Amino acid sequence: MADTDGLLDARTFTGGERPATGFHVKGAHAQDWGLQNRLARIFRPDNGRTVMLAFDHGYFLGPMAGLERIDTNIAPLVPQADAIMMTRGALRTSIPSHSTAGVVLRASGGPSVLRDLSDEHIAIDIEDAVRLNAAALAIQVFIGGEHESRSVANLAKLVDAGQRHGVAVLGVTAVGKDMVRDARYFRLATRISAEMGAHIVKTYYVNEGFETVTASCPVPIIVAGGKKLPEIDALTMAYRSMQEGAAGVDMGRNIFQSDHPAAMLAAVRAVVHDDAKPEEAHELFRERSAGSAAS
């Protein structure tokens, strides 16, 4: 076991501008053309940012509120998203094949919400992901969880397969109910995922020290929306995330459980791509909500 006595906290996360690399996605300048092309389907080339719509929750929660009918509740929202995150079953059954959003497929699974969620395995074959034209594969990494080692090994195997076929891998920092959600933990969890080869990392926002999480991760960080919040609170979290170094947001419940999902998605886009302040984005949400109610 590593000796952690006397281990110093990292403290220097700045030190000069990041050099231009010729590619708009952080850490991907040395990747093959195909993998870069897939990353460009997720992150807009003009600003390196993304709004990802997540609706993969059914793989362990079943038909939760807002996801009762993916074909009628979610499919109409897809044209507004830069990327979409879902299972291959949902993609094949419910998303039109003319969609231009970057496809991020859930690649891990196993237990339901009734069991220990960290007991996951790789749940997709790389050839099927290529067949579905996936831009990336998403896999949970349970740092500090009971099955931490297996989840890290799952990530490594998926990265190996992704590198062979030019498919990006999104490492998702899964936080159990007993985990401490602070910047120190997320620096550890995100850095491990990146060091194991993940091309993108999804994590949670924290109010203190989040800029150290984004600065110390050598690949883009996108922020999970998490539980349903009041719209102004979700927009504030998105704004702070972007201002503190995130490359985008991956929101699910804060969009599809809103009373006006399309209006909320438009407001999130304004924050991420136009640097709209939370109050401005919330006003856009209210305007779009009133318009949809009137129609």
Side-chain angles (χ1 to χ4, degrees):
M1 182 175 178
D3 182 5
T4 58
D5 289 341
L7 189 65
L8 298 178
D9 265 350
R11 56 186 180 272
T12 304
F13 296 97
T14 59
E17 295 298 319
R18 182 174 297 277
T21 61
F23 189 62
H24 65 283
V25 179
K26 182 181 179 182
H29 58 280
Q31 295 291 349
D32 293 330
W33 190 94
L35 203 150
Q36 287 188 350
N37 178 263
R38 285 184 167 92
L39 287 170
R41 297 184 212 161
I42 298 172
F43 298 96
R44 272 181 28 177
D46 62 333
N47 61 14
R49 294 179 174 186
T50 188
V51 173
M52 189 179 296
L53 175 62
F55 50 97
D56 59 325
H57 308 64
Y59 91 99
F60 69 99
L61 284 171
M64 68 183 302
L67 294 183
E68 298 90 346
R69 289 283 303 274
I70 294 174
D71 56 342
T72 58
N73 296 355
I74 300 298
L77 302 174
V78 170
Q80 287 193 66
D82 300 310
I84 52 176
M85 181 174 170
M86 84 304 315
T87 62
R88 56 178 164 178
L91 181 66
R92 281 193 166 106
T93 61
S94 306
I95 304 302
S97 57
H98 59 257
S99 169
T100 58
V103 170
V104 180
L105 290 180
R106 166 62 63 180
S108 60
S112 74
V113 70
L114 304 177
R115 305 294 294 273
D116 178 4
L117 292 178
S118 72
D119 189 19
E120 283 197 339
H121 301 269
I122 294 176
I124 193 171
D125 184 84
I126 189 66
E127 291 185 359
D128 203 29
V130 173
R131 188 177 297 114
L132 287 167
N133 201 25
L137 296 172
I139 186 166
Q140 302 270 95
V141 183
F142 295 86
I143 301 302
E146 180 179 353
H147 299 283
E148 174 187 86
S149 292
R150 185 204 297 161
S151 71
V152 172
N154 287 342
L155 170 64
K157 290 177 184 176
L158 200 64
V159 169
D160 287 341
Q163 291 290 161
R164 285 196 300 272
H165 293 270
V167 179
V169 172
L170 166 62
V172 181
T173 60
V175 181
K177 60 184 178 180
D178 297 324
M179 299 290 183
V180 176
R181 297 192 181 203
D182 60 15
R184 183 176 184 178
Y185 172 80
F186 287 123
R187 287 197 300 267
L188 174 68
T190 58
R191 185 61 173 262
I192 287 174
S193 294
E195 298 260 359
M196 295 305 295
H199 308 95
I200 315 165
V201 177
K202 174 180 173 180
T203 195
Y204 292 91
Y205 177 76
V206 289
N207 288 319
E208 295 184 10
F210 184 71
E211 68 280 0
T212 69
V213 179
T214 58
S216 60
C217 185
V219 300
I221 281 184
I222 58 175
V223 172
K227 65 181 181 180
K228 176 67 176 70
L229 300 170
E231 280 76 10
I232 185 61
D233 293 343
L235 293 169
T236 299
M237 178 180 66
Y239 179 78
R240 290 177 178 170
S241 299
M242 300 305 300
Q243 296 303 305
E244 294 173 29
V249 298
D250 183 20
M251 283 196 175
R253 285 171 285 181
N254 279 296
I255 292 174
F256 63 71
Q257 288 185 346
S258 171
D259 290 337
H260 301 280
M264 185 58 180
L265 184 49
V268 172
R269 286 188 64 84
V271 168
V272 172
H273 291 307
D274 302 324
D275 288 318
K277 291 182 168 55
E279 297 78 12
E280 298 169 333
H282 193 242
E283 180 60 28
L284 174 63
F285 167 74
R286 288 187 291 188
E287 291 174 359
R288 295 288 182 93
S289 299
S292 63
S295 60

